[in-house]
Amino acid sequence: MVMEKQQGQIDFTAEEQALKEKFLNLKKASGSHSPSIFTFKQKLPELDINVDACFLSNPYATDLFLKYFTEEIISTGKIRELLEFYPSQNQVIAEILADFLKVDASQIFIGNGAIEIIQAVIHNFVENKILINIPTFSSYYEFVKPGIEVVYNNLKKANEYRLNVDDYVKVCEANKPDTIVLINPNNPDGGYIEHDAMHSLLEKLSWVKTIILDESFIHFAYENDKFDQINSADWVSKFPNLVIIKSMSKDFGIAGIRAGYAVMAKSRIDLMLQNGFLWNSNGLSEYFFRLYTREDFANDYDKVRVRYIKETIDFIEKLKEIPGIKVYPGKANFVMIELLVPGLTSFDFVTALLVKHGIYVRTCNDKIGLEGEFIRMASRTAEENDFMVKSMKELLSDF
Ligand SMILES: *Cc1c(COP(=O)(O)O)cnc(C)c1O
């Protein structure tokens, strides 16, 4: 007897079905963040991952960093110093960044990844009420201490989950939070607020005590055809309520190093340093920060950044041509995609990409504030992107 196939259902072989269950368990065990490639290799060795499009990094930047690191640290034997000695203290590394970012070192805080800074900022500066746009990067509400009110501003699907600046000001005025969070470009949808619009938004919100502006994906945003880098760090001198947080994990492809920084008023940094954070970096991160500010590396980096942005634009254009999905507009190195096939769930789709094609993308079914079936897919190398487009087309052609 042939079973009637339900609409939107993907056929999995018995073997694939077994992998699917293991994948579901891995996902459950890793909470609100996705299981890493290491976890997959350890717990699901039978699974071949060809493309990791779940983690949102520029692979060309990783190659570049590795080239410098190999030549200067590994081949020379200097790796020993990085391992044997204490790295510089937080404020010494801040000094290295100061000229490069064109802000005073006393306004820079170094973090063991941006996540450490998010935690410290949320714990130290949120007083009673925090306003968070959703969908969002979950740590912003997960780290809020008990007793603090979290107000969610659900971005509208009808507006493609983009932030409408005027509406947002009204939401702030109606709720009177002491802290607000803006992620630009936003994760998971990539929604971007232009530099000038952000500046005027900050001017209108000068009464908010703390404005967290997470620019972890800002190197992928562009406003002109030269793809010039956007730099907001010097706004902190003008807006004492502003806290800019920047992860280096995504744009430099070095999540393993744990490097991030924040720019904010000196008084805030002094308060955080009173609580520790003396040697919260490590030798690799210090090497990275020194490299980041060097002209030779910065020039090389900009080339791989622009190349990657161009290829990402090309990838997004190809994705837009695939029937059965809607690609949401954004200016990050990833896209949020809605599955429009009735009955097709994002978990099934993500699993099918994983077990049938070895492509790892993120389901957004645990993201609050999204209405529908969504996945998030990072741009990788041009070759990998083409493979992803081809596989997506293949999977969707069944419907
Ligand atoms: C990944 C991410 C972070 C955390 O970055 P780390 O530097 O690796 O800790 C912070 N904010 C956003 C929006 C992110 O996507």
Side-chain angles (χ1 to χ4, degrees):
M1 196 184 82
V2 180
M3 293 267 281
E4 180 86 10
K5 192 176 150 185
Q6 277 177 20
Q7 212 185 7
Q9 207 177 344
I10 293 175
D11 291 322
F12 290 107
T13 64
E15 206 181 316
E16 288 169 351
Q17 192 63 37
L19 279 171
K20 184 180 171 185
E21 261 136 51
K22 286 190 185 171
F23 174 48
L24 185 62
N25 288 334
L26 274 191
K27 261 201 76 70
K28 280 189 190 146
S30 50
S32 55
H33 297 275
S34 306
S36 75
I37 286 291
F38 296 120
T39 310
F40 273 113
K41 286 198 176 133
Q42 197 189 350
K43 301 268 170 76
L44 264 177
E46 62 269 49
L47 190 72
D48 278 328
I49 297 188
N50 302 317
V51 184
D52 179 358
C54 182
F55 177 54
L56 311 167
S57 75
N58 178 353
Y60 305 124
T62 312
D63 292 342
L64 180 68
F65 175 77
L66 206 52
K67 177 175 160 278
Y68 275 82
F69 187 70
T70 306
E71 281 170 18
E72 298 182 357
I73 303 296
I74 303 284
S75 303
T76 59
K78 282 200 183 132
I79 184 72
R80 186 186 168 97
E81 292 166 32
L82 257 56
L83 301 176
E84 186 172 17
F85 303 130
Y86 278 90
S88 296
Q89 294 182 10
N90 198 306
Q91 289 306 285
V92 176
I93 302 175
E95 293 275 353
I96 301 167
L97 290 187
D99 280 351
F100 187 73
L101 297 175
K102 300 190 179 67
V103 289
D104 199 79
S106 64
Q107 296 176 315
I108 301 170
F109 183 84
I110 306 299
N112 193 290
I115 204 80
E116 185 186 47
I117 308 175
I118 295 173
Q119 185 181 336
V121 166
I122 295 282
H123 286 184
N124 281 291
F125 303 126
V126 184
E127 294 176 1
N128 298 300
K129 196 193 249 191
I130 181 168
L131 178 77
I132 296 172
N133 298 321
I134 51 172
T136 191
F137 183 64
S138 61
S139 302
Y140 281 106
Y141 57 84
E142 288 166 349
F143 291 170
V144 171
K145 283 184 183 170
I148 286 169
E149 188 185 348
V150 181
V151 180
Y152 293 108
N153 175 40
N154 205 337
L155 300 174
K156 292 188 183 71
K157 185 172 187 181
N159 197 28
E160 299 179 306
Y161 296 107
R162 280 173 305 178
L163 186 84
N164 177 304
V165 174
D166 296 328
D167 286 352
Y168 183 65
V169 171
K170 284 185 203 133
V171 172
C172 289
E173 281 165 357
N175 288 284
K176 303 203 170 36
D178 55 79
T179 305
I180 62 174
V181 180
L182 292 160
I183 305 177
N184 199 36
N186 195 27
N187 182 3
D189 51 276
Y192 177 65
I193 306 164
E194 301 247 318
H195 197 62
D196 287 350
M198 182 63 85
H199 188 268
S200 68
L201 180 60
L202 294 175
E203 280 178 329
K204 286 180 192 139
L205 296 175
S206 59
W207 56 270
V208 178
K209 281 194 180 157
T210 302
I211 301 181
I212 300 171
L213 174 57
D214 183 326
E215 294 197 326
S216 294
F217 297 95
I218 199 77
H219 286 194
F220 306 122
Y222 51 91
E223 296 191 9
N224 61 29
D225 51 17
K226 294 204 308 266
F227 304 98
D228 289 332
Q229 263 189 56
I230 295 147
N231 183 7
S232 332
D234 60 350
W235 285 351
V236 165
S237 307
K238 196 170 161 191
F239 302 111
N241 59 348
L242 183 61
V243 174
I244 298 177
I245 297 181
K246 177 90 188 80
S247 168
M248 314 311 272
S249 299
K250 320 293 171 49
D251 35 27
F252 290 90
I254 51 154
I257 291 182
R258 313 306 304 126
Y261 66 82
V263 187
M264 64 187 104
K266 178 180 185 299
S267 58
R268 291 177 187 267
I269 291 185
D270 291 347
L271 188 111
M272 296 218 294
L273 290 173
Q274 280 164 18
N275 292 316
F277 304 109
L278 186 66
W279 282 306
N280 59 330
S281 278
N282 60 68
L284 296 182
S285 154
E286 178 172 359
Y287 171 71
F288 167 75
F289 277 124
R290 289 183 184 277
L291 199 57
Y292 172 53
T293 60
R294 261 168 49 185
E295 206 180 305
D296 53 348
F297 180 80
N299 285 335
D300 285 348
Y301 167 68
D302 210 55
K303 287 189 196 111
V304 296
R305 185 184 67 87
V306 172
R307 170 186 177 189
Y308 180 59
I309 293 176
K310 287 180 177 166
E311 291 180 3
T312 299
I313 294 173
D314 189 46
F315 175 49
I316 294 172
E317 287 311 310
K318 286 178 185 158
L319 286 172
K320 280 185 187 161
E321 288 167 15
I322 302 176
I325 60 171
K326 175 181 162 69
V327 178
Y328 278 69
K331 282 204 174 156
N333 62 329
F334 54 85
V335 275
M336 189 168 81
I337 295 173
E338 184 177 7
L339 307 173
L340 302 174
V341 177
L344 177 60
T345 67
S346 77
F347 182 69
D348 269 13
F349 191 75
V350 164
T351 306
L353 274 180
L354 187 64
V355 302
K356 293 177 191 286
H357 300 273
I359 298 170
Y360 181 33
V361 304
R362 194 191 194 293
T363 106
C364 292
N365 60 5
D366 59 339
K367 287 273 175 197
I368 54 171
L370 287 173
E371 215 183 305
E373 297 297 323
F374 291 89
I375 64 167
R376 190 194 65 197
M377 197 170 201
S379 166
R380 299 296 297 168
T381 65
E383 206 187 354
E384 290 173 321
N385 289 349
D386 285 344
F387 177 65
M388 288 194 279
V389 170
K390 189 173 142 272
S391 308
M392 293 267 283
K393 272 188 188 153
E394 226 173 274
L395 258 182
L396 284 157
S397 69
D398 283 347
F399 299 108

